[in-house]
Amino acid sequence: TCKLQPHHSTDFEVHRNWLAITHSLPLSRWYYENSSEWTLDYPPLFAWFEFGLSHVARRFDPDMLDVQRLQHRSPPTVLFQRLSVVCSDLLLVFATRECCRCVREQKPSRDLLKRPSFILAVLLLWNFGLLVVDHVHFQYNGFLFGVLLLSVAKHLQSRHLQGALLFAVLLNLKHIYLYVAPAYGIYLLRSFCFTQDNTDSSVRWSSFSPARLAALGVIVTSVCVVSFGPFVLLGQLPQVLSRLFPFKRGLCHAYWAPNAWALYNVLDKTLVTLGVRLKLLQEAELPKASMTGGLVQESQHALLPSISPSVTLVCTLLSVLPAALSIWLRPRGARGFLRCLVLCALGSFLFGWHVHEKAVLMAVLPLSILAVESREDAGIFLVLATTGHYSLFPLLFTPAELPIKILLMLMFTLYSFTALTSLFSGHGSLLHPLEVVYLLGLVVVAIACEIVYPLTPWQQTLPFLPLLATSVYCALGVCYSFVRLYVILLRQEVKSKQL
């Protein structure tokens, strides 16, 4: 085998195994099968999706549907898996079209390439993160984000029941979208179930519509019954839930997501190192921290308090509470909901339990819509997208993939900067000087981690140091973007009160 051949990601085997489980085993064993370490841990609706795909897969290579054939990667299997991603991405294409129809164009341009709707289409369909995690690494995020964006588009079009239905389907496809559930719940309750506001924009309690609430309840319940119903009848709901929420996996993923806990982990390491060197702490008396071993496991901190799932839940709820209160107290229509959705996605990413680095796309993609309508949002988008996308670099770690990921990211990033700068020309720079300096620092980090470090002897003794450096540096940009988005929200609140 050629040494420069791109690797097959673990997610490729994950989904091949799920095809085999849903096709070869009875329903009662789907969430109990554990021959492979990659057990079925998505909600039942996604299992039904895999079940449907498996009937097409058998025409390519029936052997891929054998549960015992672990790591099966025949050429027909690879071909089918890749085609399944491409075909399912058609939903993303349709959702992008619907989102583009909702874009507000203040000054319609005769040049198609300079229209906000065209720029948005490129930002969504040519998104570097989606290309990496789906078409190079291998997942079905394009399909799932297609459902999310189509739901957002329906709300922008004031088709709220359709938007609610799509989000209920999305939650039953992948439960990570619980991150943005507060935005949906508060928005639908406040702006759909209550039909009128007072003159000061406060809620008119007498306008509450039980019929609308009932309609939402029927939609959510119906989807959940279709998804979970068979497993409830089998008495397997606790088993399914234990697979969906495996809290024993630890605070951080093996490769830290660039969030607040990455900074917390490094602070713990730094304090311990300084304490030992200054002889304020005895190394032998400290518990051994285990966050940098590159393993998915429960971990503890050496000096700072260890973080439990309940702590991350409280931190997450507190981080999204101001955004939720904003769309309750002063609704700003579907775009206020969209801003709240982005803040919920980022808050959950920053403070959630066992967050995957790919989850940053849940904020980047919806923010693309705001970025083509607002200069300030465009600046935040450039920081968040560039930082979040670079944080995905470690997913592709073979020599063959280095030029691929660099070229793809450069193309997307350069287009984002030039297109958005041209769109808002005449209104000043989109980025502050310090933001430019920070983003240029990513080039230094990339050269050090991707080119220089592998040539040093430290690569053998400290193999996870580049991952740590990448996560920590990118975490600063993600946290900054989160704060900037809240600053905009607070400014809107102040202007509303002044009016």
Side-chain angles (χ1 to χ4, degrees):
T1 304
C2 176
K3 292 184 178 180
L4 293 181
Q5 181 181 356
H7 76 289
H8 287 281
S9 73
T10 55
D11 287 305
F12 182 90
E13 172 61 16
V14 167
H15 290 284
R16 186 217 60 81
N17 187 52
W18 292 0
L19 286 172
I21 289 174
T22 56
H23 186 85
S24 305
L25 300 179
L27 184 70
S28 59
R29 292 182 55 192
W30 285 7
Y31 284 92
Y32 283 93
E33 167 59 33
N34 59 2
S35 299
S36 166
E37 61 181 308
W38 313 117
T39 54
L40 183 58
D41 59 5
Y42 274 25
L45 208 57
F46 196 89
W48 293 117
F49 172 70
E50 295 275 12
F51 176 75
L53 288 178
S54 71
H55 286 78
V56 182
R58 68 180 180 180
R59 298 183 180 277
F60 284 76
D61 182 1
D63 289 340
M64 81 170 82
L65 302 176
D66 185 345
V67 176
Q68 302 304 319
R69 284 183 175 268
L70 304 181
Q71 305 299 327
H72 182 76
R73 293 169 181 167
S74 67
T77 299
V78 174
L79 176 63
F80 168 75
Q81 292 283 69
R82 297 302 182 191
L83 284 177
S84 67
V85 172
V86 172
C87 292
S88 63
D89 274 356
L90 292 176
L91 181 60
L92 175 63
V93 175
F94 177 71
T96 298
R97 173 180 174 273
E98 292 298 300
C99 287
C100 291
R101 292 174 59 188
C102 302
V103 171
R104 294 173 178 171
E105 299 190 20
Q106 296 180 353
K107 296 180 180 179
S109 173
R110 293 183 178 180
D111 187 349
L112 173 65
L113 301 183
K114 294 183 179 181
R115 290 181 180 176
S117 56
F118 178 83
I119 295 172
L120 175 61
V122 177
L123 295 181
L124 293 178
L125 295 178
W126 193 27
N127 181 271
F128 167 78
L130 279 182
L131 290 175
V132 168
V133 301
D134 277 10
H135 298 278
V136 182
H137 190 71
F138 188 85
Q139 283 191 13
Y140 291 96
N141 288 290
F143 163 67
L144 295 168
F145 277 117
V147 181
L148 175 65
L149 292 174
L150 189 56
S151 174
V152 169
K154 294 303 178 184
H155 287 302
L156 291 172
Q157 297 165 3
S158 298
R159 299 175 180 177
H160 301 299
L161 289 178
Q162 293 181 31
L165 173 61
L166 287 165
F167 184 66
V169 169
L170 181 63
L171 277 182
N172 282 272
L173 285 169
K174 192 171 183 179
H175 52 303
I176 195 174
Y177 291 94
L178 282 169
Y179 285 1
V180 297
Y184 273 89
I186 299 298
Y187 173 66
L188 286 170
L189 180 61
R190 176 65 177 83
S191 298
F192 180 70
C193 294
F194 288 93
T195 59
Q196 294 180 356
D197 295 337
N198 293 317
T199 53
D200 60 354
S201 297
S202 62
V203 61
R204 180 173 294 180
W205 296 98
S206 60
S207 69
F208 176 71
S209 172
R212 291 192 173 192
L213 180 62
L216 290 175
V218 168
I219 286 173
V220 174
T221 303
S222 300
V223 175
C224 290
V225 167
V226 171
S227 178
F228 285 89
F231 300 95
V232 172
L233 293 176
L234 290 170
Q236 295 183 358
L237 184 60
Q239 173 65 17
V240 174
L241 294 178
S242 70
R243 285 282 183 88
L244 300 185
F245 302 100
F247 290 115
K248 291 186 178 181
R249 287 188 177 180
L251 173 65
C252 295
H253 195 243
Y255 161 43
W256 299 351
N259 62 9
W261 304 126
L263 300 177
Y264 188 84
N265 292 344
V266 169
L267 178 60
D268 181 68
K269 291 285 187 182
T270 303
L271 291 176
V272 168
T273 301
L274 289 176
V276 171
R277 291 191 175 184
L278 295 175
K279 297 183 179 181
L280 298 175
L281 299 170
Q282 297 296 322
E283 187 173 7
E285 298 178 0
L286 293 171
K288 185 178 180 181
S290 55
M291 287 83 64
T292 55
L295 300 175
V296 178
Q297 60 185 6
E298 290 186 275
S299 59
Q300 62 177 348
H301 294 86
L303 189 61
L304 295 177
S306 292
I307 305 299
S308 66
S310 58
V311 171
T312 63
L313 177 61
V314 171
C315 290
T316 300
L317 292 177
L318 290 176
S319 72
V320 305
L321 183 60
L325 284 175
S326 175
I327 61 172
W328 174 267
L329 297 175
R330 294 185 182 277
R332 295 182 180 85
R335 279 167 177 75
F337 152 73
L338 182 56
R339 186 173 299 281
C340 179
L341 184 150
V342 172
L343 284 166
C344 286
L346 266 186
S348 300
F349 179 82
L350 287 173
F351 300 104
W353 177 265
H354 196 75
V355 173
H356 286 241
E357 65 288 335
K358 297 178 284 289
V360 72
L361 297 178
M362 202 180 303
V364 172
L365 289 167
L367 183 57
S368 304
I369 303 173
L370 296 175
V372 298
E373 295 185 344
S374 162
R375 188 184 69 84
E376 274 195 299
D377 289 322
I380 297 173
F381 172 82
L382 292 177
V383 174
L384 180 62
T386 306
T387 305
H389 288 163
Y390 177 74
S391 73
L392 302 175
F393 262 39
L395 292 177
L396 309 178
F397 51 84
T398 66
E401 291 162 328
L402 179 59
I404 294 174
K405 63 186 181 183
I406 290 177
L407 180 61
L408 287 176
M409 181 162 178
L410 276 177
M411 291 172 64
F412 179 83
T413 304
L414 289 175
Y415 176 81
S416 300
F417 273 79
T418 55
L420 291 175
T421 299
S422 175
L423 183 62
F424 296 103
S425 59
H427 297 82
S429 175
L430 296 181
L431 297 175
H432 301 300
L434 289 179
E435 294 173 340
V436 175
V437 171
Y438 170 79
L439 292 179
L440 289 176
L442 286 172
V443 178
V444 178
V445 173
I447 294 173
C449 294
E450 300 287 342
I451 300 175
V452 177
Y453 194 82
L455 302 177
T456 68
W458 297 329
Q459 174 66 22
Q460 302 300 322
T461 57
L462 298 171
F464 296 102
L465 190 58
L467 298 180
L468 184 150
T470 299
S471 295
V472 170
Y473 193 85
C474 291
L476 297 175
V478 176
C479 291
Y480 172 80
S481 300
F482 182 67
V483 172
R484 279 286 310 276
L485 283 167
Y486 258 124
V487 168
I488 292 178
L489 187 67
L490 291 175
R491 285 178 182 170
Q492 291 178 345
E493 287 292 328
V494 171
K495 289 181 180 179
S496 298
K497 291 179 179 180
Q498 291 175 347
L499 295 175

